[in-house]
Amino acid sequence: MTPATHSTLFPQAPDTADAVLDGLDPEQREVATALHGPVCVLAGAGTGKTRAITHRIAYGVRAGILQPSSVLAVTFTNRAAGEMRGRLRQLGAAGVQARTFHSAALRQLQYFWPKAIGGSMPRLVDRKIQLVADAAAACRIRLDRNELRDVTAEIEWSKVTQTVPADYTPAAAKAGREAPRDPAEIAQIYNVYEDLKRDRSVMDFEDVLLLTVAILQDRHDIADQVRSQYQHFVVDEYQDVSPLQQRLLELWLGERDNLCVVGDASQTIYSFTGATPDHLLDFRTRHPGATVVKLVRDYRSTPQVVHLANGLLAQASGRAADHRLELISQRDAGPEPVYTEYTDEPAEAEGAARRIRELMASGVPASEIAVLFRTNSQSESYEQALADAGVPYQLRGAERFFDRPEVRKAGIALRGAARFGGNDTLLDDAVDLPSQVRAVLSGEGWTTEPPAGSGAVRERWESLAALVNLAQDFAAAKTGASLADLVAELDERANAQHAPTVQGVTLASLHSAKGLEWDVVFLVGVAEGMMPITYAKTDEQVEEERRLLYVGVTRARRHLHVSWALTRAPGGRPNRRPSRFLDGLRPGSTATVGRAAARGSGGVERGFTSRPDATPRRTQRSPARCRVCGRTLTDAGEMKLMRCEDCPSDMDEGLYERLREWRGVQARLSGQPDFCVFTDKTLMAIAETEPTTPDELSRIPGVLKRKLDRYGDDVLAICAGQELEQGPAGE
């Protein structure tokens, strides 16, 4: 298990500024040398984004353009910030601040508190769950441990989206959140929680950002002092920025635009925490003069793995999909991804363990192998299978199955029922072992139907359901088994998995695998109902599930194994099917959506011009205005039309239909979806403006040079009323 992505580490700092640029590819070099004005780096998985931005900072420092103490690089985890600081030191750029949003804000808050507020700063609490419990108790609302975790998550979401308690209910409904309790109850708990913090003079991590924002907004002298300290900002993983973090960034910047952001909308997988890719996707709208650099050369994965990753996104829809990057592998060819269908889940886990043993026997280190799954409740089968196969493993981002509080509590309840079940009325109607276990666990929160939504309540139910399923499998394998026999089996399993382990195969959820990579990745449980997960109902939720699978695929450097099971337990009805996301990608399947051809869209879009003898200057561009009413346009769709949506259209309907018919033919000939030729909005803009020259056509948003070269002659001919012999454009 290693941090993504590999980079060349210099044993000694480069001798000169130009030496910092050695070894960078053309696009990475563009990032490194674009030191003025706003810069947006759209970086696909494995394309060396950290390498590009650290060399950018180091080049600016070594060239004397940036002062180390004036640069603030912000990322999302302490590990990523530490890695960035280490790389900068190796490049001779020590002294640059590389921190998380919270760390940078806390440092400023501690420094300015005496001046801005006075007195002692509130104590920072590491965990807010006890405060939430106290707030619930004050409201006379009883929450179990898992509900506490879910309500706490709702409070965190509210704060990062800048939602006050009084607005929680409508805000949650608008965002489509599955509230773990009555929204009115959560709003009440949230309100009392805030009161308790004030009474006890404590603050939480979200308060660090909120208070820093408040001080910078209210005290212009302090804001000016911060801005005089930091002149240049770099933000990594920009697709994960929350509205609150974006507001803090804007206050740090003030009226300046020395900002470089790096991200990939196709790796947005944390929207449930308040993260949104909108800030990344709207960057060019907010900063019309921005330089945009696209990194698409993938140095991590083989062409075979990259082909699958590109195929997943080619079938995607939605705003993030419109801005996807088509990766181009820079590695030698490797083996094709392996797709395996198993009869049941135990067979799938045993099959993965068997293949892992074979790989280890062939010389692959255990630490370079990972098993990735959608939910933490899936880990138990793989923990058991690897333990049975004698393969060492480590869990990342999750408790061991038998260490989970609900599993331990359920074990105590089952043990008590095994000893004293004769006196338990719950078991009066239980006729066999599975029904006894269901009766006992119903008292722990298990129900025949899973709860709606995600979160801790769902995870708790999944853990208990795994025990119910285990009881059914155990009873089927051992006729006449008693509850005491099952308890003994659970103890044996727990003991085997609690044995000390060494560095081994990584077991991780897809969410916790973000930012990591391995030589070999097993993506397991890739079946409908798990990928996408059953509670992903809306189009947006399903597309986030697709992106989650994309993140899983792009963790693999060389070997990728994708598997699913037709049924849960041996002998069960085989009614499952592979994930819809694999349609058209795995052998023998048919695509459900037209796939886009590879675009290889790396490159640079410059927002300013520069001269060798002068400091680069930002181009002053006029704002886009509606050609009907003159209003300034900010919506991307309206900017393509060059008018407000509700302003009258003078579109030639006949021309629009001819363009649509031509587009359909071109899409079929090239094997692409229609929108990859031109979007509806672009066709409408063409039909409204009726261009007569290539120059007029190129001024229409959405008609980039590549499309102008390929389709321009056809489009102009159609606009001129000419009949075309339909064939591939540009030939």
Side-chain angles (χ1 to χ4, degrees), residues 569-649:
R573 186 176 179 181
N575 56 1
R576 291 180 178 173
R577 65 174 296 269
S579 168
R580 72 191 75 169
F581 299 147
L582 299 178
D583 289 348
L585 301 175
R586 61 184 177 86
S589 65
T590 304
T592 54
V593 182
R595 294 177 56 196
R599 297 183 296 174
S601 53
V604 184
E605 299 172 21
R606 299 191 185 282
F608 54 79
T609 58
S610 60
R611 298 170 308 182
D613 59 340
T615 301
R617 297 173 300 170
R618 182 175 168 182
T619 299
Q620 299 299 316
R621 295 190 177 184
S622 300
R625 296 187 183 278
C626 174
R627 54 189 169 81
V628 180
C629 70
R631 183 179 69 85
T632 299
L633 302 177
T634 57
D635 178 77
E638 292 182 340
M639 291 172 72
K640 277 195 173 184
L641 288 175
M642 296 181 289
R643 64 171 174 81
C644 304
E645 261 316 336
D646 52 0
C647 279
S649 169

Side-chain angles (χ1 to χ4, degrees), residues 342 344-356 381-382 385 388-389:
Y342 292 94
D344 52 63
E345 288 181 2
E348 184 179 10
E350 291 165 7
R354 185 169 55 252
R355 287 175 181 264
I356 288 170
S381 297
Y382 293 90
D388 290 346

Side-chain angles (χ1 to χ4, degrees), residues 161 686 728:
T161 56
I686 293 171

